[in-house]
Amino acid sequence: MPAASAAQGRSTGDVGVRRRRAGRPSAAVLDKAGITAAALELISRKGYDGLTMAALAKQLEVAPSALYNHVAAKRDVLLLLEDHLTSLVDVSGFGAAAWEDAVRTWAWSYRNVFAEHTPLIPVIAVLPVTDAPQTLAMYETVSKGFIEAGFPQEQVVPAIVALESFIFGSAYDVTAPEDIFESGSLAESTPHFTAAVRSSASAAGWASAGGERGRPADTAFKLGLELLISGLGALRG
Amino acid sequence: MPAASAAQGRSTGDVGVRRRRAGRPSAAVLDKAGITAAALELISRKGYDGLTMAALAKQLEVAPSALYNHVAAKRDVLLLLEDHLTSLVDVSGFGAAAWEDAVRTWAWSYRNVFAEHTPLIPVIAVLPVTDAPQTLAMYETVSKGFIEAGFPQEQVVPAIVALESFIFGSAYDVTAPEDIFESGSLAESTPHFTAAVRSSASAAGWASAGGERGRPADTAFKLGLELLISGLGALRG
DNA sequence: AGCACTAAATGAATAGCATTCATTTACCAG
DNA sequence: CTGGTAAATGAATGCTATTCATTTAGTGCT
């Protein structure tokens, strides 16, 4: 909303396209929240390919170079996005529901948020948590949930990292085309795989007959997640 | 090796830097195998940032535009890399060892190969297997191993996808800096997480005292993988 | 009040990127 | 020998992130 309202709010009653003259404006036009919101808006309209510094500047009605007063590089914009999106992940189960249910809710929510933002995954994976306060807050909530559920302290981080790895990998799956496993003309040389693909496709269709959309990625995610949850659950003291 | 030997093998005895004149050469300079090898060489020296079409052309002693007679776009180069690397993944356990051991070998090898090539992961995840014969061959071997180990056919693909998701996510972890979880100045506001990070760090150090390098990523990978293997093992008929 | 300093904008410039195109040359099929 | 196709060069294109000089506004000091 800062992005949209940036078009208004100028003291002169000029029409939209009028350019700002050089020099520092009386009220700052840009801030990190506005940049984040504009980036999100841009991504939802044009995808990550459309997220260029020039396009972002245009969305904010600003010269591209102005962005560099607020971020050191494009990577910082991705970092702002990452931290914002993390705050959308549902951690409400921890402390409120059984550990299993809390993890389930968190993991599905986490995967769904980043399935729409897979280009951020390489950024997150290498990102020191210091630079991302919301992300750190999520880890704190989740860690607390694990410890209070009886996990030995030294197992908490490995357990979370294992879950997160699975979640990030699964987020990519969501974006894959449905026919990704169609082996085409080479089907004859891969009989076991081809048969397995066919039978899992029909099984997924059957399982989702109850109304919910059962995409292949969901089947695999559910399978892996439930195995991890029950396996990890056994580690609690 | 095609990349290195490309420098030699010209009929004229000219010194290295001499330019080829325009027009089709008597013997083709480029082919997909050579492009793949040159790309690998380049990546190992300069990393993925150094893998540009211009640099690749230079490595092959060719004009950049020449590459486009063999690949339609840079993405095709990444695809060549992906398929080549997949052929390096160790599937020798399937059919030779117990299912658990075969999966363990495969998963560690798969993770290690792509940990060095994380920029390819977004490519693989969306890649129809039709375009990658080596990858398809790997799936066939693994599928066969699963079916012969007693898996119900419709569970094979979800099981493999779940494992793969975990593997790809874990490959990113390997590249993360060791201090990625140091919460720095915000440590006081995240007591549970901070404590968990500290105790897992010392536990990992202890566990690896036997000589082997026990990086944090390895601890989490082992944990998750063993849980998945034993959970999946229970699905066999 | 006047003055230095800093912050936040513009606009012009830069280097590097993937990709395209016209052109040249070599081989092959008729 | 003659057309067509494949594979190279070299020049050009448009887009990219980023930098820099410049302008202007506000803040703190004396």
Side-chain angles (χ1 to χ4, degrees), chain B residues 134-151:
Chain B
Q134 300 290 315
T135 306
L136 190 52
M138 181 186 78
Y139 285 134
E140 171 65 9
T141 304
V142 176
S143 299
K144 183 158 179 268
F146 274 56
I147 287 170
E148 289 176 353
F151 271 85

Side-chain angles (χ1 to χ4, degrees), chain B residues 165-196:
Chain B
S165 297
F166 177 66
I167 288 165
F168 289 151
S170 298
Y172 280 118
D173 279 346
V174 177
T175 74
E178 299 249 345
D179 62 341
I180 189 173
F181 285 138
E182 283 312 317
S183 42
S185 61
L186 299 91
E188 291 173 14
S189 54
T190 59
H192 298 86
F193 178 63
T194 302

Side-chain angles (χ1 to χ4, degrees), chain B residues 13-234:
Chain B
D14 293 344
V15 246
V17 207
R18 187 60 178 278
R19 257 182 196 64
R20 211 183 340 263
R21 77 179 191 283
R24 182 184 194 181
S26 305
V29 179
L30 296 179
D31 61 7
K32 297 198 189 213
I35 292 172
T36 307
L40 279 173
E41 163 71 12
L42 198 51
I43 289 161
S44 78
R45 277 194 296 110
K46 315 263 187 177
Y48 273 86
D49 284 350
L51 180 62
T52 67
M53 294 301 272
L56 187 53
K58 191 172 193 180
Q59 174 86 16
L60 289 157
E61 298 190 334
V62 136
S65 52
L67 293 167
Y68 289 87
N69 290 318
H70 301 265
V71 296
K74 185 178 180 180
R75 161 170 247 270
D76 286 4
V77 176
L78 300 182
L79 209 142
L80 288 172
L81 283 170
E82 189 276 331
D83 207 39
H84 170 76
L85 291 171
T86 299
S87 74
L88 303 182
V89 174
D90 186 353
V91 293
S92 65
F94 292 103
W99 176 83
E100 284 87 351
D101 292 329
V103 173
R104 229 186 315 266
T105 302
W106 170 69
W108 278 97
S109 158
Y110 202 172
R111 186 203 69 146
N112 288 342
V113 167
F114 282 97
E116 307 278 301
H117 298 274
T118 52
L120 294 180
I121 293 178
V123 176
I124 314 173
V126 189
L127 180 71
V129 292
T130 317
D131 303 339
Q134 300 290 315
T135 306
L136 190 52
M138 181 186 78
Y139 285 134
E140 171 65 9
T141 304
V142 176
S143 299
K144 183 158 179 268
F146 274 56
I147 287 170
E148 289 176 353
F151 271 85
Q153 208 172 44
E154 73 275 8
Q155 303 259 39
V156 169
V157 169
I160 293 175
V161 170
L163 280 164
E164 234 185 354
S165 297
F166 177 66
I167 288 165
F168 289 151
S170 298
Y172 280 118
D173 279 346
V174 177
T175 74
E178 299 249 345
D179 62 341
I180 189 173
F181 285 138
E182 283 312 317
S183 42
S185 61
L186 299 91
E188 291 173 14
S189 54
T190 59
H192 298 86
F193 178 63
T194 302
V197 169
R198 283 204 219 297
S199 66
S200 68
S202 46
W206 171 82
S208 69
E212 193 138 27
R213 310 192 2 78
R215 279 183 297 166
D218 290 347
T219 309
F221 184 65
K222 180 171 184 176
L223 173 63
L225 180 60
E226 294 302 324
L227 294 181
L228 288 174
I229 288 175
S230 55
L232 289 174

Side-chain angles (χ1 to χ4, degrees), chain A residues 101-138:
Chain A
D101 292 329
V103 172
R104 229 185 316 265
T105 302
W106 169 69
W108 279 96
S109 158
Y110 202 172
R111 186 203 69 145
N112 289 341
V113 167
F114 282 98
E116 308 278 299
H117 298 272
T118 51
L120 294 179
I121 293 178
V123 176
I124 313 173
V126 189
L127 179 71
V129 292
T130 318
D131 303 339
Q134 300 289 315
T135 306
L136 190 51
M138 182 186 78

Side-chain angles (χ1 to χ4, degrees), chain A residues 12-234:
Chain A
T12 96
D14 292 344
V15 246
V17 206
R18 188 61 177 278
R19 256 182 197 66
R20 213 185 338 268
R21 79 180 191 282
R24 182 185 195 182
S26 306
V29 179
L30 296 179
D31 61 6
K32 297 196 188 210
I35 292 172
T36 307
L40 280 173
E41 162 73 12
L42 198 51
I43 288 160
S44 77
R45 277 194 296 109
K46 314 262 188 178
Y48 272 84
D49 283 350
L51 180 64
T52 68
M53 295 302 271
L56 186 54
K58 190 171 194 181
Q59 173 87 15
L60 289 158
E61 298 191 333
V62 136
S65 54
L67 292 166
Y68 290 87
N69 290 319
H70 301 265
V71 297
K74 184 179 180 181
R75 163 169 242 273
D76 285 5
V77 175
L78 299 182
L79 209 142
L80 288 172
L81 282 170
E82 189 276 331
D83 208 39
H84 169 76
L85 291 171
T86 299
S87 74
L88 303 182
V89 174
D90 185 353
V91 293
S92 66
F94 292 103
W99 176 83
E100 284 86 350
D101 292 329
V103 172
R104 229 185 316 265
T105 302
W106 169 69
W108 279 96
S109 158
Y110 202 172
R111 186 203 69 145
N112 289 341
V113 167
F114 282 98
E116 308 278 299
H117 298 272
T118 51
L120 294 179
I121 293 178
V123 176
I124 313 173
V126 189
L127 179 71
V129 292
T130 318
D131 303 339
Q134 300 289 315
T135 306
L136 190 51
M138 182 186 78
Y139 286 134
E140 171 64 10
T141 303
V142 175
S143 299
K144 185 159 179 269
F146 274 56
I147 288 170
E148 288 175 354
F151 271 86
Q153 208 172 43
E154 73 276 8
Q155 304 259 39
V156 170
V157 168
I160 293 174
V161 170
L163 281 164
E164 234 184 355
S165 297
F166 177 66
I167 288 165
F168 289 151
S170 300
Y172 280 118
D173 280 345
V174 177
T175 74
E178 299 249 346
D179 62 341
I180 189 172
F181 285 139
E182 282 313 319
S183 41
S185 61
L186 300 93
E188 290 174 15
S189 55
T190 59
H192 298 87
F193 178 62
T194 302
V197 168
R198 284 205 218 297
S199 67
S200 69
S202 46
W206 171 81
S208 69
E212 194 137 27
R213 310 190 3 76
R215 279 183 297 166
D218 290 348
T219 308
F221 184 64
K222 180 170 184 179
L223 173 63
L225 179 60
E226 294 304 324
L227 293 182
L228 288 174
I229 289 176
S230 56
L232 289 174

